[in-house]
């Protein structure tokens, strides 16, 4: 999945990207995290590229890797994409994102070392400004399309029905935007949503809020001026609010494991750090889950949309498996871990045979049977 970062100047967005890259590098270091890293499909990109590819931490993958000692371990991944600014020129880039995080600063409220461009540190005001600009991108598109459709003259009756239907959907969307809400709250059915697929409407995707703190605010339990008001302003608009400390998390990633843990405890920093929690929150907000496959060749997490059936999940592994699907042998990860091995899970009757229409659950460990 691709998560875009949007912010006003001096909010720490570039530092957050650097921290994401540093933690991605950390995940590939031998000995970190207790699981094999050779061949892990989560090697980070250089942060200077504006895109960082990082694995999503998953203790289930790590546990399976310890059991099987495979030649390759592949976690689900997330692409962090730095969006330089908001505006029509970036609509194409925004259209390719799965989710967006608005980054606001609460750090350095006295501006002793990092001045705010507007001479004040106010996360609530920054969020509201970003949110209004974000909605305005969609409002402009929807309003413009409505005006063009209303001006359409002399069209066949059948086509007029299609235009009237699209107008009805767009007018509802406009009402939602004018209430200050994203289009993800428009409650469109699948056919109505399909009418808008050709537009680059950005607020259909989940939006998260990342609040960038400093060391002192972390030591105070994550408290900062305007916290309660920001939570109220974000309610019903964003999928999650994640506190993080980008500069500190960047520094932590460069320490050895023992020093990192001690430093984190001293500063009351919750692990996993905010960078990783933000990535996980975006993954969840997009309705994504992972099923797992395990063997001597590879242990892997496969990302699918919640509600995916077994045959479609098999297609993620290989199209031939979906085409020749016979059945899926499924065990829930928690059951497998409690049993200690696949053989013991089978002895206890925890391994199930499921058909093509079985709805895959998060954490299912699956072996597909097929014939082509």
């Amino acid at each position: 999945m691709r998560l875009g970062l949007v912010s006003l100047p001096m909010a720490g967005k570039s530092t957050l990207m650097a921290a994401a890259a540093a933690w991605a590098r950390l995940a590939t270091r031998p000995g970190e995290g207790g699981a094999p890293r050779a061949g892990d499909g989560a090697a980070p990109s250089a942060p200077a590229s504006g895109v960082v590819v990082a694995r999503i931490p998953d203790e289930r993958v790590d546990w399976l890797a310890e059991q099987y000692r495979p030649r390759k371990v592949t976690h689900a991944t997330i692409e962090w994409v730095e969006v330089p600014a908001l505006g029509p020129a970036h609509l194409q880039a925004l259209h390719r994102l799965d989710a967006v995080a608005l980054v606001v600063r609460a750090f350095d409220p006295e501006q002793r070392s990092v001045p705010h461009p507007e001479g004040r540190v106010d996360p609530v005001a920054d969020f509201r400004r970003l949110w209004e600009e974000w909605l305005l991108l969609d409002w402009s598109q929807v309003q413009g399309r409505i005006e063009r459709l209303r001006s359409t003259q002399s069209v066949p009756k059948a086509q007029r029905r299609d235009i009237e239907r699209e107008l009805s959907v767009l007018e509802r969307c406009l009402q939602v935007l004018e209430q200050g809400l994203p289009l993800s709250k428009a409650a469109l059915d699948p056919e109505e949503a399909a009418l808008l697929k050709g537009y680059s409407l950005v607020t259909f995707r989940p939006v998260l809020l990342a609040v960038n703190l400093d060391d002192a605010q972390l030591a105070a339990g994550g408290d900062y001026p305007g916290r309660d008001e920001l939570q109220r302003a974000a309610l019903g608009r964003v999928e999650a609010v994640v506190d993080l400390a980008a500069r500190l998390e960047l520094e932590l990633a460069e320490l050895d494991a023992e020093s990192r843990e001690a430093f984190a405890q001293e500063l009351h920093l919750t692990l996993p750090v905010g960078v990783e929690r933000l990535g996980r929150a975006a993954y969840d907000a997009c309705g994504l889950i992972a099923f797992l496959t395990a063997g001597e060749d590879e242990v892997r997490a496969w990302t699918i949309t919640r509600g995916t059936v077994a045959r479609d999940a098999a297609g993620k592994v290989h199209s031939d498996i979906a085409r020749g699907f016979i059945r899926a042998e499924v065990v829930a990860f928690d059951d497998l871990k409690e049993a200690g091995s696949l053989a013991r899970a089978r002895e206890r009757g925890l391994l199930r045979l499921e058909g093509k229409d079985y709805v895959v659950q998060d954490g299912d460990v699956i072996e597909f049977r097929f014939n082509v």
Side-chain angles (χ1 to χ4, degrees):
M1 65 159 293
R2 293 169 59 88
L3 172 64
L5 300 182
V6 178
S7 75
L8 298 178
M10 309 305 289
K13 179 179 62 177
S14 295
T15 305
L16 179 56
M17 285 289 291
W23 281 90
R25 288 193 297 271
L26 177 64
T28 62
R29 291 179 191 170
E32 293 281 6
R37 299 295 179 223
D40 195 317
S45 307
S49 69
V51 177
V52 172
V53 181
R55 73 184 184 97
I56 296 177
D58 194 330
E59 294 179 353
R60 302 170 302 189
V61 175
D62 296 338
W63 185 87
L64 288 169
E66 290 285 355
Q67 305 305 307
Y68 285 88
R69 293 289 170 178
R71 286 182 284 275
K72 185 178 181 182
V73 180
T74 305
H75 286 72
T77 59
I78 180 171
E79 282 190 25
W80 298 76
V81 182
E82 187 172 8
V83 180
L86 286 175
H90 296 93
L91 282 177
Q92 187 173 1
L94 293 170
H95 185 62
R96 294 194 297 267
L97 300 176
D98 298 302
V100 175
L102 306 181
V103 183
V104 299
R105 64 175 284 185
F107 67 86
D108 192 16
E110 301 301 323
Q111 304 180 79
R112 291 191 175 94
S113 58
V114 184
H116 191 288
E118 297 182 4
R120 87 288 182 277
V121 175
D122 187 341
V124 179
D126 287 353
F127 168 71
R128 285 176 174 157
R129 178 174 167 183
L130 284 169
W131 187 254
E132 288 169 2
E133 291 184 6
W134 196 244
L135 293 180
L136 184 59
L137 289 174
D138 280 355
W139 185 92
S140 298
Q141 288 192 81
V142 171
Q143 179 65 28
R145 179 61 175 168
I146 287 174
E147 290 176 357
R148 286 192 295 274
L149 290 176
R150 285 175 175 168
S151 65
T152 302
Q153 302 293 331
S154 302
V155 297
K157 187 174 182 180
Q159 189 175 348
R160 170 57 59 185
R161 285 198 297 268
D162 292 339
I163 289 174
E164 293 296 337
R165 187 173 179 218
E166 185 177 350
L167 262 175
S168 175
V169 172
L170 288 170
E171 287 168 348
R172 284 163 52 200
C173 288
L174 196 66
Q175 291 175 0
V176 170
L177 292 168
E178 290 176 346
Q179 293 170 18
L181 298 175
L183 290 176
S184 58
K185 307 296 183 183
L188 303 179
D189 64 37
E191 290 186 2
E192 291 172 333
L195 290 174
L196 307 180
K197 277 190 176 180
Y199 307 142
S200 297
L201 297 170
V202 294
T203 64
F204 269 129
R205 59 191 42 74
V207 180
L208 301 96
L209 176 60
V211 187
N212 196 4
L213 311 180
D214 58 30
D215 301 9
Q217 290 162 339
L218 279 174
D223 191 25
Y224 56 87
R227 179 185 178 89
D228 291 343
E229 186 180 355
L230 182 60
Q231 293 281 346
R232 289 193 294 271
L235 186 65
R237 291 170 170 79
V238 304
E239 301 297 327
V241 179
V242 178
D243 292 342
L244 50 85
R247 183 188 62 79
L248 177 60
E249 294 175 15
L250 175 58
E251 295 173 357
L252 278 173
E254 302 302 331
L255 300 176
D256 61 80
E258 185 176 348
S259 300
R260 187 185 315 119
E261 186 174 349
F263 194 24
Q265 289 179 355
E266 180 182 343
L267 291 172
H268 308 288
L269 180 62
T270 302
L271 295 177
V273 294
V275 169
E276 295 188 328
R277 287 186 283 109
L278 179 60
R280 168 54 69 177
Y283 191 80
D284 293 341
C286 288
L288 302 176
I289 63 172
F291 71 91
L292 312 166
T293 55
E296 294 181 355
D297 289 335
E298 183 181 21
V299 166
R300 180 163 183 164
W302 300 86
T303 297
I304 56 174
T305 304
R306 190 178 300 278
T308 299
V309 297
R311 185 166 61 181
D312 292 340
K316 291 284 290 186
V317 181
H318 198 284
S319 58
D320 283 348
I321 301 178
R323 184 161 54 89
F325 183 95
I326 299 173
R327 65 178 182 273
E329 295 185 353
V330 182
V331 59
F333 172 79
D334 289 341
D335 290 340
L336 175 59
K337 184 176 180 180
E338 183 180 353
S341 71
L342 191 61
R344 285 194 287 273
R346 183 178 283 108
E347 290 172 0
R348 296 181 184 182
L350 299 173
L351 193 68
R352 312 186 310 274
L353 297 180
E354 300 288 358
K356 62 182 180 180
D357 295 325
Y358 166 71
V359 177
V360 176
Q361 302 300 305
D362 186 39
D364 278 348
V365 182
I366 304 179
E367 182 174 357
F368 294 106
R369 300 298 183 186
F370 68 103
N371 182 37
V372 291

